[in-house]
Amino acid sequence: MSKTGTRILAVGAAGKFAGLVVPELVKRGAIVRGLTTTADHEEEVKNNGAQEVAIGDLSDKDGLWAALDGVDSIFYISPVFAADQAEMGRNMVEAAQGADVRRIVFSSVIHPILTAIDNHAAKAPIEEAIVGSDLEYTILHPTLFYENYATVWPQVAKTGVFAEPYSADSRIGRVDYRDVAEVAAIALTEDRLLYGTFELCAEGNYDRHEVAAIMSDVLGREIRAERVPFEDWAEKAGIPKEGPVRSGLKQMYAWYDTHGFVGNALTLRAILGCEPRTLRAYFEELSAGDRSL
């Protein structure tokens, strides 16, 4: 596949994560059409670097066909915790086949075999649809994102406490989504990742005590690792009491509490040809006040 002139539909291009993929694609000479649900997000899509904007709903097959007109490839990421995300993903695959799209790259999730976590299990039917299609494909399995720390960083720096709603001894693997975005762009503009499924993790499966120690070094003050009850955490975070988000997060943290959530950095290192971004480096960027994170 040519690196330049390829028209790629980026789903969720107004969002925090797909929005990181767009500039990586533009840098490689692709023409990016950002898909967003409403015209209200058109400016954000363009600010992220997309040259074109399509308005569409992942539940509307006809609308997806219109968004895919003239598109060579798709970057697809599911709306997190959406109750019907498996159906939406299958809709996209079906529309891609009908629109003669050549390639799809799916940013899925590490361990979609975990049926105890709905947000993970919902990715498996999408992956099945992709593998069973006639599309060229690459499936990415990133673990938790560093970027999730950005929302709690100011409070941690202010209070000296880093608290999460599961055991502080659970080991968790994480990754900087900027590295995932680079892998996605490689998969969409080169052929070397075709028909592969890749676990994407940075080095280090840290427990909360170790994360707090890194925070302490970066901030130059002691940060304590604590545990907060899930319901208290959810209320403070403003998670609605009813609906798939709270129930999905409760499932996810229950798994972390019992099993942790670890991964391996070998694949990401091999694809990038260098060391993945580190958690310490990410915290240093947060401490320096980088508002792009």
Side-chain angles (χ1 to χ4, degrees):
M1 176 177 286
S2 170
K3 291 185 179 182
T4 59
T6 299
R7 180 171 273 101
I8 299 170
L9 183 74
V11 175
K16 179 165 60 172
F17 301 114
L20 294 172
V21 177
V22 173
E24 288 291 338
L25 292 169
V26 173
K27 185 165 63 177
R28 289 165 171 79
I31 300 167
V32 180
R33 179 180 297 167
L35 179 68
T36 185
T37 53
T38 69
D40 294 342
H41 296 145
E42 185 171 348
E43 185 175 352
E44 288 131 289
V45 173
K46 290 184 175 178
N47 286 342
N48 285 335
Q51 299 97 326
E52 302 174 359
V53 180
I55 311 300
D57 190 315
L58 293 171
S59 299
D60 177 13
K61 294 180 184 178
D62 291 338
L64 289 179
W65 280 15
L68 290 168
D69 183 40
V71 165
D72 301 297
S73 304
I74 301 167
F75 171 76
Y76 186 73
I77 185 169
S78 293
V80 65
F81 294 115
D84 55 349
Q85 63 176 294
E87 179 183 354
M88 289 189 288
R90 288 192 293 251
N91 284 344
M92 176 58 78
V93 174
E94 183 177 330
Q97 291 178 289
D100 293 326
V101 171
R102 186 192 330 184
R103 179 175 299 187
I104 186 168
V105 171
F106 177 33
S107 183
S108 181
V109 65
I110 193 172
H111 311 322
I113 57 172
L114 295 180
T115 57
I117 307 175
D118 288 346
N119 190 53
H120 286 243
K123 305 295 194 298
I126 305 173
E127 294 189 16
E128 182 178 15
I130 290 170
V131 174
S133 74
D134 57 1
L135 300 170
E136 298 176 348
Y137 66 83
T138 303
I139 297 172
L140 308 181
H141 282 179
T143 187
L144 274 70
F145 309 148
Y146 289 172
E147 284 78 4
N148 294 331
Y149 283 118
T151 56
V152 302
W153 184 260
Q155 188 69 10
V156 170
K158 179 180 178 181
T159 64
V161 175
F162 174 45
E164 292 176 302
Y166 55 90
S167 172
D169 297 323
S170 294
R171 295 197 168 276
I172 308 292
R174 292 178 171 86
V175 70
D176 193 313
Y177 203 83
R178 290 173 294 182
D179 286 339
V180 179
E182 185 174 349
V183 174
I186 291 169
L188 285 159
T189 60
E190 302 178 21
D191 292 341
R192 62 186 171 103
L193 302 183
L194 274 181
Y195 306 117
T197 300
F198 302 101
E199 181 177 294
L200 302 178
C201 307
E203 195 65 61
N205 294 299
Y206 300 119
D207 65 29
R208 193 170 311 124
H209 304 290
E210 292 167 325
V211 173
I214 298 171
M215 290 175 167
S216 299
D217 287 346
V218 170
L219 289 169
R221 60 167 298 188
E222 182 184 2
I223 304 298
R224 299 194 315 275
E226 295 186 0
R227 177 175 184 164
V228 60
F230 174 81
E231 295 300 333
D232 293 349
W233 174 88
E235 286 298 312
K236 188 173 182 180
I239 309 299
K241 289 186 177 181
E242 303 297 329
V245 176
R246 185 176 285 218
S247 62
L249 285 168
K250 190 169 186 177
Q251 290 174 337
M252 187 172 73
Y253 290 139
W255 182 274
Y256 296 172
D257 191 47
T258 304
H259 306 288
F261 200 69
V262 296
N264 188 289
L266 176 65
T267 301
L268 182 56
R269 185 184 302 114
I271 294 171
L272 295 177
C274 63
E275 287 297 319
R277 289 177 170 89
T278 66
L279 187 57
R280 179 182 295 273
Y282 184 79
F283 287 160
E284 287 171 349
E285 290 178 88
L286 286 178
S287 182
D290 189 338
R291 296 185 180 182
S292 67
L293 298 176

